[in-house]
Coordinates of all heavy atoms in Angstrom, one line a residue:
D1 N 6.1 15.0 11.1 CA 6.3 13.6 10.9 C 5.9 13.3 9.4 O 5.1 14.1 8.9 CB 5.7 12.8 11.9 CG 6.4 12.9 13.2 OD1 7.6 13.4 13.3 OD2 5.8 12.5 14.3
I2 N 6.2 12.1 9.0 CA 5.8 11.7 7.6 C 4.8 10.6 7.6 O 4.9 9.6 8.4 CB 7.1 11.2 6.9 CG1 8.2 12.3 6.9 CG2 6.8 10.7 5.5 CD1 9.5 11.9 6.4
V3 N 3.8 10.8 6.7 CA 2.8 9.7 6.4 C 3.1 9.3 5.0 O 3.2 10.1 4.1 CB 1.4 10.2 6.6 CG1 0.4 9.3 6.2 CG2 1.1 10.7 8.0
V4 N 3.2 8.0 4.9 CA 3.4 7.4 3.6 C 2.2 6.6 3.1 O 1.7 5.8 3.9 CB 4.7 6.5 3.5 CG1 4.9 5.8 2.3 CG2 5.9 7.4 3.8
D5 N 1.8 6.8 1.9 CA 0.7 6.0 1.3 C 1.3 5.4 0.0 O 1.7 6.1 -0.9 CB -0.5 7.0 0.8 CG -1.6 6.3 0.3 OD1 -1.5 5.2 -0.3 OD2 -2.7 6.9 0.3
T6 N 1.4 4.1 0.0 CA 2.0 3.4 -1.1 C 1.4 3.8 -2.5 O 2.0 3.8 -3.5 CB 2.0 1.9 -1.0 OG1 0.7 1.4 -0.7 CG2 3.0 1.6 0.2
F7 N 0.0 4.1 -2.5 CA -0.6 4.3 -3.7 C 0.0 5.6 -4.3 O 0.0 5.7 -5.6 CB -2.2 4.6 -3.5 CG -2.9 4.9 -4.7 CD1 -3.3 3.8 -5.5 CD2 -3.4 6.2 -4.9 CE1 -4.0 4.1 -6.7 CE2 -4.2 6.4 -6.1 CZ -4.5 5.4 -6.9
H8 N 0.4 6.6 -3.5 CA 0.9 7.8 -4.0 C 2.5 7.8 -4.1 O 3.1 8.7 -4.7 CB 0.5 9.0 -3.2 CG -0.9 9.2 -3.2 ND1 -1.6 9.7 -4.2 CD2 -1.9 9.0 -2.2 CE1 -2.9 9.8 -4.0 NE2 -3.1 9.3 -2.8
C9 N 3.1 6.9 -3.5 CA 4.6 6.8 -3.4 C 5.3 5.7 -4.1 O 6.5 5.6 -4.1 CB 5.0 6.9 -2.0 SG 4.4 8.3 -1.1
A10 N 4.5 4.7 -4.6 CA 5.2 3.5 -5.2 C 6.2 3.8 -6.3 O 7.1 3.0 -6.5 CB 4.0 2.6 -5.7
W11 N 5.9 4.9 -7.0 CA 6.8 5.3 -8.1 C 8.2 5.8 -7.7 O 9.2 5.8 -8.4 CB 6.1 6.4 -8.9 CG 5.8 7.6 -8.1 CD1 4.6 7.8 -7.5 CD2 6.7 8.6 -7.7 NE1 4.8 9.0 -6.7 CE2 6.0 9.5 -6.9 CE3 8.0 9.0 -8.1 CZ2 6.6 10.7 -6.4 CZ3 8.5 10.1 -7.6 CH2 7.8 11.0 -6.7
D12 N 8.3 6.2 -6.4 CA 9.5 6.8 -5.9 C 10.5 5.7 -5.5 O 10.2 4.8 -4.6 CB 9.2 7.6 -4.7 CG 10.4 8.4 -4.2 OD1 11.6 8.1 -4.5 OD2 10.1 9.4 -3.5
P13 N 11.7 5.6 -6.1 CA 12.7 4.6 -5.8 C 13.1 4.7 -4.4 O 13.5 3.6 -3.8 CB 13.8 4.8 -6.7 CG 13.7 6.2 -7.2 CD 12.3 6.5 -7.2
D14 N 13.0 5.7 -3.7 CA 13.3 5.8 -2.2 C 12.4 5.1 -1.3 O 12.7 4.9 -0.2 CB 13.5 7.3 -1.8 CG 14.8 8.0 -2.3 OD1 15.7 7.2 -2.6 OD2 14.8 9.2 -2.4
I15 N 11.2 4.7 -1.8 CA 10.3 4.0 -0.9 C 10.9 2.7 -0.5 O 10.6 2.2 0.6 CB 8.9 3.8 -1.7 CG1 7.9 3.5 -0.6 CG2 9.0 2.8 -2.7 CD1 6.4 3.5 -1.1
W16 N 11.8 2.2 -1.3 CA 12.4 0.9 -0.9 C 13.5 1.0 0.1 O 14.0 0.1 0.7 CB 13.1 0.3 -2.1 CG 12.0 -0.2 -3.1 CD1 11.5 0.6 -4.2 CD2 11.2 -1.3 -3.0 NE1 10.4 -0.1 -4.8 CE2 10.2 -1.3 -4.0 CE3 11.1 -2.4 -2.1 CZ2 9.3 -2.3 -4.3 CZ3 10.2 -3.4 -2.3 CH2 9.2 -3.3 -3.4
R17 N 13.9 2.3 0.5 CA 14.8 2.5 1.6 C 14.2 3.5 2.6 O 14.9 4.4 3.2 CB 16.2 2.9 1.1 CG 16.2 4.1 0.2 CD 17.7 4.3 -0.4 NE 17.8 5.7 -0.7 CZ 18.2 6.7 0.0 NH1 18.6 6.5 1.2 NH2 18.2 7.9 -0.4
L18 N 12.9 3.4 2.7 CA 12.1 4.4 3.6 C 12.6 4.5 5.0 O 12.7 5.6 5.5 CB 10.6 4.0 3.5 CG 9.7 5.1 4.2 CD1 9.8 6.4 3.5 CD2 8.3 4.6 4.1
S19 N 13.0 3.4 5.6 CA 13.4 3.4 7.0 C 14.7 4.2 7.1 O 14.9 5.0 8.0 CB 13.7 2.0 7.4 OG 12.5 1.3 7.6
D20 N 15.6 4.2 6.1 CA 16.9 4.9 6.1 C 16.6 6.4 5.8 O 17.2 7.2 6.5 CB 17.8 4.3 5.0 CG 18.3 2.9 5.3 OD1 18.3 2.5 6.4 OD2 18.6 2.3 4.3
V21 N 15.6 6.7 4.9 CA 15.4 8.0 4.5 C 14.5 8.8 5.6 O 14.9 9.9 6.0 CB 14.6 8.1 3.2 CG1 14.2 9.5 2.8 CG2 15.4 7.5 2.1
A22 N 13.5 8.1 6.1 CA 12.7 8.8 7.0 C 13.0 8.7 8.5 O 12.7 9.5 9.3 CB 11.2 8.3 6.8
G23 N 13.6 7.4 8.8 CA 13.9 7.2 10.2 C 12.8 7.2 11.1 O 11.6 6.9 10.9
E24 N 13.0 7.9 12.3 CA 12.0 8.1 13.3 C 10.9 9.1 12.9 O 9.9 9.2 13.7 CB 12.7 8.4 14.6 CG 13.5 7.3 15.1 CD 14.0 7.5 16.5 OE1 13.5 8.4 17.3 OE2 15.0 6.8 16.9
K25 N 11.1 9.8 11.8 CA 10.1 10.7 11.3 C 8.8 10.0 10.8 O 7.9 10.6 10.5 CB 10.7 11.7 10.3 CG 11.7 12.7 11.0 CD 10.9 13.8 11.7 CE 11.8 14.9 12.2 NZ 11.0 15.8 13.0
L26 N 9.1 8.8 10.4 CA 7.9 8.0 9.8 C 6.9 7.8 10.8 O 7.1 7.0 11.8 CB 8.4 6.7 9.2 CG 7.5 5.9 8.4 CD1 6.9 6.7 7.3 CD2 8.1 4.7 7.9
A27 N 5.7 8.4 10.6 CA 4.6 8.2 11.7 C 3.5 7.3 11.4 O 3.0 6.7 12.3 CB 4.0 9.7 11.9
F28 N 3.3 7.0 10.1 CA 2.1 6.3 9.7 C 2.3 5.8 8.3 O 2.8 6.5 7.5 CB 0.9 7.2 9.8 CG -0.4 6.6 9.8 CD1 -1.0 6.1 10.9 CD2 -1.2 6.5 8.6 CE1 -2.3 5.5 10.9 CE2 -2.4 5.9 8.6 CZ -2.9 5.4 9.8
V29 N 1.9 4.5 8.1 CA 2.0 3.9 6.7 C 0.6 3.5 6.3 O -0.1 2.7 6.9 CB 3.0 2.8 6.7 CG1 3.0 2.1 5.3 CG2 4.3 3.3 7.0
Q30 N 0.1 3.9 5.1 CA -1.1 3.5 4.4 C -0.7 2.6 3.3 O 0.1 3.0 2.5 CB -2.0 4.6 4.0 CG -2.4 5.5 5.1 CD -3.1 6.7 4.6 OE1 -2.6 7.4 3.7 NE2 -4.3 7.0 5.1
V31 N -1.3 1.4 3.2 CA -0.9 0.5 2.2 C -2.0 0.1 1.3 O -3.2 -0.1 1.8 CB -0.1 -0.8 2.7 CG1 1.1 -0.4 3.3 CG2 -1.0 -1.5 3.7
C32 N -1.8 -0.2 0.1 CA -2.8 -0.8 -0.9 C -1.8 -1.1 -2.1 O -0.8 -0.5 -2.1 CB -3.9 0.0 -1.2 SG -3.5 1.4 -2.3
N33 N -2.2 -2.0 -2.9 CA -1.5 -2.2 -4.2 C -2.3 -1.4 -5.2 O -3.3 -0.8 -4.9 CB -1.3 -3.6 -4.5 CG 0.0 -3.9 -5.1 OD1 0.5 -3.1 -5.8 ND2 0.6 -5.1 -4.7
W34 N -1.8 -1.3 -6.4 CA -2.4 -0.5 -7.4 C -2.2 -1.1 -8.8 O -1.2 -2.0 -9.0 CB -1.9 0.8 -7.4 CG -0.4 1.1 -7.6 CD1 0.6 0.8 -6.7 CD2 0.2 1.3 -8.8 NE1 1.8 1.0 -7.3 CE2 1.6 1.3 -8.6 CE3 -0.2 1.6 -10.1 CZ2 2.5 1.5 -9.6 CZ3 0.7 1.9 -11.1 CH2 2.1 1.8 -10.9
F35 N -3.0 -0.8 -9.7 CA -2.9 -1.2 -11.1 C -3.4 -0.1 -12.0 O -4.2 0.7 -11.6 CB -3.5 -2.6 -11.3 CG -5.0 -2.5 -11.3 CD1 -5.7 -2.5 -12.6 CD2 -5.7 -2.5 -10.2 CE1 -7.1 -2.4 -12.5 CE2 -7.1 -2.4 -10.2 CZ -7.8 -2.4 -11.4
E36 N -3.1 -0.2 -13.3 CA -3.6 0.7 -14.3 C -4.5 0.0 -15.2 O -4.0 -0.9 -16.0 CB -2.5 1.4 -15.0 CG -1.7 2.3 -14.1 CD -0.5 3.0 -14.8 OE1 -0.4 2.9 -16.1 OE2 0.2 3.7 -14.2
P37 N -5.8 0.2 -15.2 CA -6.8 -0.6 -16.0 C -6.4 -0.5 -17.5 O -6.5 -1.3 -18.3 CB -8.1 0.0 -15.7 CG -8.0 0.7 -14.4 CD -6.5 1.0 -14.3
S38 N -6.0 0.7 -17.9 CA -5.5 1.0 -19.3 C -4.7 2.3 -19.2 O -4.7 3.0 -18.3 CB -6.7 1.2 -20.2 OG -7.3 2.4 -20.0
P39 N -3.9 2.5 -20.3 CA -3.1 3.7 -20.3 C -3.9 5.0 -20.2 O -3.4 6.1 -19.8 CB -2.4 3.7 -21.7 CG -2.4 2.2 -22.0 CD -3.6 1.7 -21.5
D40 N -5.2 5.0 -20.6 CA -6.0 6.1 -20.6 C -6.8 6.4 -19.3 O -7.4 7.3 -19.1 CB -7.0 6.1 -21.7 CG -6.3 6.1 -23.1 OD1 -5.4 6.7 -23.1 OD2 -6.9 5.4 -24.0
E41 N -6.7 5.4 -18.3 CA -7.4 5.5 -17.0 C -6.5 5.7 -15.9 O -5.3 5.4 -15.9 CB -8.1 4.2 -16.7 CG -9.3 3.9 -17.8 CD -9.9 2.6 -17.4 OE1 -10.7 2.5 -16.4 OE2 -9.7 1.6 -18.2
K42 N -7.0 6.4 -14.9 CA -6.2 6.6 -13.7 C -5.9 5.3 -12.9 O -6.7 4.4 -13.0 CB -6.9 7.5 -12.7 CG -7.1 9.0 -13.3 CD -7.8 9.8 -12.3 CE -8.0 11.2 -12.8 NZ -8.6 12.1 -11.8
P43 N -4.8 5.2 -12.2 CA -4.5 4.0 -11.4 C -5.7 3.8 -10.4 O -6.4 4.7 -10.0 CB -3.3 4.4 -10.7 CG -2.6 5.4 -11.5 CD -3.8 6.2 -12.1
Q44 N -5.9 2.5 -10.0 CA -6.9 2.1 -9.1 C -6.2 1.3 -7.9 O -5.3 0.6 -8.1 CB -7.9 1.3 -9.7 CG -8.6 2.0 -10.9 CD -10.0 1.6 -11.0 OE1 -10.6 0.8 -10.2 NE2 -10.7 2.1 -12.0
R45 N -6.8 1.5 -6.7 CA -6.3 0.8 -5.6 C -6.7 -0.7 -5.7 O -7.8 -1.0 -6.2 CB -6.9 1.4 -4.3 CG -6.3 2.8 -4.0 CD -7.0 3.4 -2.8 NE -6.5 4.8 -2.6 CZ -5.4 5.1 -2.0 NH1 -4.7 4.2 -1.3 NH2 -5.1 6.4 -1.9
E46 N -5.9 -1.5 -5.0 CA -6.2 -3.0 -5.0 C -5.7 -3.6 -3.7 O -5.0 -2.9 -3.0 CB -5.5 -3.7 -6.3 CG -5.9 -5.1 -6.5 CD -7.4 -5.4 -6.5 OE1 -8.0 -5.3 -7.6 OE2 -7.9 -5.8 -5.4
V47 N -6.1 -4.9 -3.4 CA -5.6 -5.5 -2.3 C -4.2 -5.7 -2.3 O -3.6 -5.5 -3.4 CB -6.4 -6.8 -1.9 CG1 -7.9 -6.6 -1.7 CG2 -6.2 -7.7 -3.2
L48 N -3.5 -6.1 -1.3 CA -2.1 -6.1 -1.1 C -1.3 -7.0 -2.1 O -0.3 -6.7 -2.6 CB -1.7 -6.4 0.3 CG -2.2 -5.5 1.4 CD1 -1.8 -6.0 2.7 CD2 -2.0 -4.1 1.1
S49 N -2.0 -8.2 -2.4 CA -1.2 -9.2 -3.2 C -1.5 -9.0 -4.7 O -0.9 -9.7 -5.5 CB -1.6 -10.6 -2.8 OG -3.0 -10.8 -3.1
V50 N -2.3 -8.0 -5.1 CA -2.7 -7.9 -6.6 C -2.3 -6.5 -6.9 O -2.7 -5.5 -6.4 CB -4.2 -8.0 -6.7 CG1 -4.5 -7.8 -8.2 CG2 -4.7 -9.3 -6.3
G51 N -1.4 -6.4 -8.0 CA -0.9 -5.1 -8.4 C 0.5 -5.1 -8.8 O 1.2 -6.1 -8.9
L52 N 1.0 -3.9 -9.0 CA 2.3 -3.7 -9.6 C 3.4 -3.7 -8.5 O 4.6 -3.7 -8.9 CB 2.4 -2.4 -10.4 CG 1.4 -2.4 -11.5 CD1 1.3 -1.1 -12.2 CD2 1.8 -3.5 -12.6
M53 N 3.2 -3.5 -7.2 CA 4.2 -3.3 -6.2 C 4.3 -4.6 -5.4 O 3.3 -5.2 -5.1 CB 3.9 -2.2 -5.3 CG 5.1 -1.8 -4.4 SD 4.6 -0.3 -3.5 CE 6.1 -0.2 -2.4
D54 N 5.5 -5.0 -5.2 CA 5.8 -6.3 -4.3 C 5.7 -5.8 -2.9 O 6.7 -5.5 -2.2 CB 7.1 -6.9 -4.6 CG 7.2 -8.2 -3.9 OD1 6.5 -8.5 -2.9 OD2 8.0 -9.0 -4.3
L55 N 4.5 -5.7 -2.4 CA 4.3 -5.1 -1.0 C 4.8 -6.1 0.1 O 5.2 -5.7 1.2 CB 2.8 -4.9 -0.7 CG 2.3 -3.5 -1.4 CD1 0.8 -3.4 -1.3 CD2 3.0 -2.4 -0.7
S56 N 4.8 -7.4 -0.1 CA 5.4 -8.3 0.8 C 6.8 -8.0 1.1 O 7.3 -7.9 2.2 CB 5.2 -9.8 0.3 OG 5.7 -10.6 1.2
V57 N 7.7 -7.9 0.1 CA 9.1 -7.5 0.2 C 9.2 -6.2 0.9 O 10.0 -5.9 1.8 CB 9.8 -7.6 -1.1 CG1 11.2 -7.0 -1.0 CG2 9.8 -9.0 -1.7
W58 N 8.4 -5.2 0.4 CA 8.5 -3.8 0.9 C 8.1 -3.8 2.4 O 8.9 -3.1 3.3 CB 7.6 -2.9 0.1 CG 7.8 -1.4 0.6 CD1 8.8 -0.6 0.3 CD2 6.9 -0.6 1.4 NE1 8.6 0.6 0.9 CE2 7.4 0.6 1.6 CE3 5.7 -1.0 2.0 CZ2 6.8 1.5 2.4 CZ3 5.0 -0.1 2.7 CH2 5.6 1.2 2.9
L59 N 7.0 -4.3 2.8 CA 6.6 -4.3 4.2 C 7.6 -5.0 5.1 O 7.9 -4.5 6.2 CB 5.2 -5.0 4.3 CG 4.1 -4.1 3.9 CD1 2.8 -4.9 3.8 CD2 3.8 -2.9 4.9
R60 N 8.1 -6.1 4.7 CA 9.2 -6.8 5.5 C 10.4 -6.0 5.6 O 11.0 -5.9 6.8 CB 9.5 -8.2 4.9 CG 8.3 -9.2 5.1 CD 8.6 -10.6 4.6 NE 7.5 -11.5 4.8 CZ 7.1 -12.4 3.9 NH1 7.8 -12.6 2.9 NH2 6.1 -13.2 4.3
S61 N 10.8 -5.3 4.6 CA 11.9 -4.5 4.7 C 11.7 -3.3 5.6 O 12.6 -2.9 6.4 CB 12.3 -4.0 3.2 OG 13.3 -3.0 3.3
L62 N 10.5 -2.7 5.5 CA 10.2 -1.6 6.4 C 10.2 -2.0 7.8 O 10.9 -1.3 8.7 CB 8.8 -1.1 6.0 CG 8.3 0.1 6.7 CD1 9.1 1.3 6.3 CD2 6.8 0.3 6.4
V63 N 9.7 -3.1 8.2 CA 9.7 -3.5 9.6 C 11.0 -4.0 10.0 O 11.5 -3.7 11.1 CB 8.6 -4.7 9.8 CG1 8.8 -5.4 11.1 CG2 7.2 -4.2 9.6
A64 N 11.8 -4.6 9.2 CA 13.2 -5.0 9.5 C 14.1 -3.8 9.7 O 15.0 -3.8 10.5 CB 13.8 -5.9 8.4
G65 N 13.8 -2.7 9.0 CA 14.4 -1.4 9.1 C 14.1 -0.7 10.4 O 14.6 0.4 10.7
G66 N 13.2 -1.2 11.3 CA 12.8 -0.7 12.6 C 11.5 0.0 12.6 O 11.1 0.5 13.7
Y67 N 10.7 0.0 11.6 CA 9.4 0.6 11.7 C 8.4 -0.2 12.5 O 8.3 -1.4 12.3 CB 8.7 0.9 10.3 CG 7.4 1.5 10.5 CD1 7.3 2.9 10.8 CD2 6.3 0.8 10.2 CE1 6.1 3.5 10.9 CE2 5.0 1.5 10.3 CZ 4.9 2.8 10.7 OH 3.7 3.4 10.8
G68 N 7.8 0.4 13.6 CA 7.0 -0.4 14.4 C 5.7 0.3 14.6 O 4.9 0.0 15.5
G69 N 5.4 1.4 13.8 CA 4.1 2.1 13.8 C 3.0 1.5 13.1 O 3.0 0.3 12.8
T70 N 1.9 2.2 13.0 CA 0.7 1.9 12.4 C 0.8 1.6 10.9 O 1.4 2.3 10.2 CB -0.4 2.9 12.6 OG1 -0.5 3.1 14.1 CG2 -1.7 2.5 12.1
I71 N 0.2 0.5 10.5 CA 0.0 0.2 9.1 C -1.4 0.0 8.8 O -2.1 -0.8 9.4 CB 0.8 -1.1 8.7 CG1 2.3 -1.1 9.0 CG2 0.5 -1.6 7.2 CD1 3.1 -2.3 8.9
E72 N -1.9 0.8 7.9 CA -3.3 0.9 7.6 C -3.6 0.5 6.1 O -2.9 1.0 5.2 CB -3.9 2.3 7.9 CG -5.4 2.5 7.5 CD -5.7 3.9 7.5 OE1 -5.2 4.7 6.6 OE2 -6.5 4.3 8.4
F73 N -4.5 -0.4 5.9 CA -5.0 -0.7 4.6 C -5.9 0.4 4.2 O -6.9 0.7 4.9 CB -5.7 -2.1 4.6 CG -6.3 -2.4 3.2 CD1 -5.5 -2.6 2.1 CD2 -7.7 -2.4 3.1 CE1 -6.1 -2.9 0.8 CE2 -8.3 -2.7 1.8 CZ -7.5 -2.9 0.7
E74 N -5.8 0.9 3.0 CA -6.6 2.0 2.5 C -7.2 1.6 1.1 O -6.4 1.4 0.2 CB -6.0 3.3 2.5 CG -6.9 4.4 2.1 CD -6.2 5.8 2.0 OE1 -5.3 5.9 1.3 OE2 -6.7 6.6 2.8
M75 N -8.5 1.6 0.9 CA -9.1 1.5 -0.3 C -10.4 2.2 -0.3 O -11.1 2.2 0.6 CB -9.5 0.0 -0.6 CG -10.1 -0.2 -2.0 SD -10.5 -2.0 -2.3 CE -8.9 -2.5 -2.9
F76 N -10.8 2.9 -1.4 CA -11.9 3.7 -1.5 C -13.0 2.9 -2.1 O -12.8 1.9 -2.9 CB -11.7 4.9 -2.3 CG -10.7 5.9 -1.6 CD1 -9.6 6.3 -2.4 CD2 -10.9 6.3 -0.3 CE1 -8.6 7.1 -1.8 CE2 -10.0 7.1 0.2 CZ -8.8 7.6 -0.5
D77 N -14.3 3.2 -1.8 CA -15.4 2.5 -2.3 C -15.4 2.2 -3.8 O -15.7 1.2 -4.3 CB -16.7 3.1 -1.9 CG -17.9 2.4 -2.2 OD1 -18.0 1.2 -1.6 OD2 -18.8 2.8 -3.0
R78 N -15.0 3.2 -4.6 CA -15.0 3.2 -6.1 C -14.0 2.0 -6.6 O -14.1 1.7 -7.7 CB -14.8 4.5 -6.7 CG -13.4 5.0 -6.5 CD -13.2 6.5 -7.1 NE -12.0 7.0 -6.9 CZ -11.7 7.8 -5.8 NH1 -12.6 8.0 -4.9 NH2 -10.4 8.3 -5.7
H79 N -13.1 1.7 -5.7 CA -12.1 0.7 -6.1 C -12.5 -0.7 -5.8 O -11.8 -1.7 -6.1 CB -10.7 1.0 -5.6 CG -10.1 2.4 -6.1 ND1 -9.5 3.2 -5.3 CD2 -10.3 2.9 -7.3 CE1 -9.1 4.2 -6.1 NE2 -9.7 4.1 -7.2
R80 N -13.6 -0.9 -5.1 CA -14.0 -2.2 -4.7 C -14.5 -3.1 -5.9 O -14.5 -4.3 -5.8 CB -15.2 -2.2 -3.6 CG -14.8 -1.8 -2.3 CD -16.0 -2.0 -1.3 NE -17.1 -1.3 -1.6 CZ -18.3 -1.8 -1.9 NH1 -18.4 -3.1 -1.9 NH2 -19.3 -1.2 -2.2
R81 N -14.9 -2.4 -6.9 CA -15.4 -3.0 -8.1 C -16.5 -4.2 -7.8 O -16.4 -5.3 -8.2 CB -14.3 -3.6 -9.0 CG -13.6 -2.5 -9.6 CD -12.5 -3.0 -10.5 NE -11.5 -3.8 -9.8 CZ -10.6 -3.4 -9.0 NH1 -10.4 -2.1 -8.7 NH2 -9.7 -4.2 -8.5
G82 N -17.5 -3.8 -6.9 CA -18.5 -4.8 -6.6 C -18.3 -5.8 -5.5 O -19.2 -6.5 -5.2
R83 N -17.0 -5.8 -5.1 CA -16.8 -6.8 -4.0 C -17.3 -6.3 -2.7 O -17.4 -5.0 -2.4 CB -15.3 -6.9 -3.8 CG -14.6 -7.5 -5.1 CD -13.1 -7.6 -5.0 NE -12.6 -6.2 -5.1 CZ -11.3 -5.9 -5.3 NH1 -10.4 -6.8 -5.2 NH2 -10.9 -4.6 -5.4
A84 N -17.8 -7.1 -1.8 CA -18.3 -6.8 -0.5 C -17.2 -6.2 0.3 O -16.1 -6.7 0.3 CB -19.0 -8.0 0.2
V85 N -17.5 -5.2 1.1 CA -16.6 -4.5 2.0 C -15.9 -5.6 2.9 O -14.7 -5.5 3.1 CB -17.2 -3.5 2.8 CG1 -16.3 -2.9 3.9 CG2 -17.8 -2.3 1.9
G86 N -16.7 -6.4 3.5 CA -16.2 -7.4 4.4 C -15.2 -8.4 3.7 O -14.2 -8.7 4.3
D87 N -15.5 -8.7 2.5 CA -14.6 -9.6 1.7 C -13.2 -8.9 1.5 O -12.2 -9.5 1.6 CB -15.1 -10.0 0.4 CG -16.3 -11.0 0.6 OD1 -16.5 -11.5 1.7 OD2 -17.1 -11.1 -0.4
V88 N -13.3 -7.6 1.1 CA -12.1 -6.8 0.8 C -11.2 -6.7 2.1 O -10.1 -7.0 2.1 CB -12.4 -5.5 0.2 CG1 -11.1 -4.6 0.1 CG2 -13.1 -5.6 -1.2
L89 N -11.9 -6.4 3.2 CA -11.2 -6.2 4.4 C -10.6 -7.5 5.0 O -9.5 -7.5 5.5 CB -12.1 -5.6 5.5 CG -12.5 -4.2 5.2 CD1 -13.5 -3.6 6.3 CD2 -11.3 -3.2 5.1
S90 N -11.3 -8.6 4.9 CA -10.8 -9.9 5.4 C -9.6 -10.3 4.5 O -8.6 -10.9 5.1 CB -11.9 -10.9 5.5 OG -12.5 -11.2 4.2
T91 N -9.7 -10.1 3.3 CA -8.6 -10.4 2.3 C -7.4 -9.6 2.7 O -6.3 -10.1 2.8 CB -9.0 -10.2 0.8 OG1 -10.1 -11.1 0.5 CG2 -7.8 -10.4 -0.1
A92 N -7.6 -8.3 2.8 CA -6.5 -7.4 3.2 C -5.8 -7.8 4.5 O -4.6 -7.8 4.6 CB -7.0 -5.9 3.2
L93 N -6.6 -8.1 5.5 CA -6.1 -8.4 6.8 C -5.3 -9.7 6.7 O -4.2 -9.9 7.3 CB -7.2 -8.5 7.8 CG -6.8 -9.0 9.3 CD1 -5.8 -7.9 9.8 CD2 -8.0 -9.0 10.1
A94 N -5.8 -10.8 6.0 CA -5.2 -12.0 5.9 C -3.8 -11.8 5.1 O -2.8 -12.4 5.5 CB -6.0 -13.1 5.2
E95 N -3.8 -11.1 4.1 CA -2.6 -10.8 3.4 C -1.6 -10.0 4.2 O -0.4 -10.4 4.1 CB -3.0 -10.0 2.1 CG -3.7 -10.8 1.0 CD -4.1 -9.9 -0.1 OE1 -4.1 -8.7 -0.1 OE2 -4.5 -10.5 -1.2
L96 N -2.0 -9.0 4.9 CA -1.1 -8.2 5.8 C -0.6 -9.2 6.9 O 0.8 -9.1 7.1 CB -1.8 -7.1 6.4 CG -1.0 -6.0 7.1 CD1 0.1 -5.5 6.3 CD2 -1.9 -5.0 7.7
R97 N -1.3 -10.0 7.4 CA -0.8 -10.9 8.5 C 0.3 -11.8 7.8 O 1.4 -12.1 8.4 CB -1.8 -11.7 9.1 CG -2.7 -10.9 10.2 CD -3.7 -11.7 10.8 NE -4.4 -11.0 11.8 CZ -5.6 -11.2 12.2 NH1 -6.3 -12.2 11.7 NH2 -6.0 -10.5 13.2
A98 N 0.0 -12.4 6.7 CA 0.9 -13.3 6.0 C 2.2 -12.6 5.6 O 3.2 -13.1 5.8 CB 0.2 -14.0 4.8
M99 N 2.1 -11.4 5.1 CA 3.2 -10.7 4.7 C 4.2 -10.3 5.8 O 5.4 -10.2 5.7 CB 2.8 -9.4 3.9 CG 2.3 -9.7 2.6 SD 1.7 -8.1 1.9 CE 1.0 -8.8 0.3
L100 N 3.6 -10.1 7.0 CA 4.4 -9.7 8.1 C 4.8 -10.9 9.1 O 5.5 -10.7 10.0 CB 3.6 -8.6 9.0 CG 3.5 -7.3 8.2 CD1 2.6 -6.3 9.0 CD2 4.8 -6.6 7.8
A101 N 4.3 -12.1 8.7 CA 4.6 -13.2 9.6 C 6.1 -13.7 9.5 O 6.8 -13.4 8.5 CB 3.8 -14.4 9.2

C-alpha cells in the first residue's frame, strides 16, 4: 500500500490526482505545509494554512475522490520555531477540521 507525505510529494503534479493514481492502494496520508526560508536552506514543515501548497483544495479533492483513511498532521520539533506544541497541534486540528468541513 501507499503512504503519502505532502512534505515529500508536493512537487509531484500527480499528487493533485492521487485518488485516481493510487486508488484503494492509498493507505495513509501525512499532511503539513512547507516553505523555503531561503534558496540556501532546506524546506521546513509548517501548519496547513501556511506555505506553498493549497492543502484545503488538495484535501477536499482527495476526500471527494473517495479517500476515507487516516489523515495525520506531521511536524518535527525543529520546525516549531519556538511555538508551543499544544498551540501547533490545536492550530493544525482546527485548520484540518475547517478544510474538511
Side-chain angles (χ1 to χ4, degrees):
D1 288 346
I2 300 169
V3 174
V4 171
D5 182 338
T6 56
F7 184 75
H8 297 290
C9 300
W11 56 268
D12 187 340
D14 283 339
I15 198 168
W16 291 97
R17 54 187 204 91
L18 188 58
S19 293
D20 295 333
V21 174
E24 292 186 19
K25 289 286 189 185
L26 185 56
F28 195 83
V29 174
Q30 294 174 312
V31 295
C32 69
N33 219 323
W34 61 279
F35 72 100
E36 294 180 6
S38 76
D40 297 327
E41 294 180 72
K42 291 182 179 181
Q44 299 213 7
R45 293 176 185 270
E46 188 50 89
V47 293
L48 306 178
S49 66
V50 178
L52 298 172
M53 187 173 179
D54 189 341
L55 283 170
S56 180
V57 170
W58 183 76
L59 284 166
R60 287 183 180 143
S61 173
L62 184 68
V63 171
Y67 181 70
T70 301
I71 298 173
E72 173 191 70
F73 173 70
E74 183 177 62
M75 178 180 281
F76 299 123
D77 189 59
R78 68 182 178 271
H79 295 147
R80 285 188 306 116
R81 290 183 301 287
R83 296 174 287 187
V85 172
D87 292 344
V88 172
L89 291 177
S90 63
T91 297
L93 181 59
E95 290 175 346
L96 187 57
R97 284 182 172 153
M99 288 178 182
L100 294 175

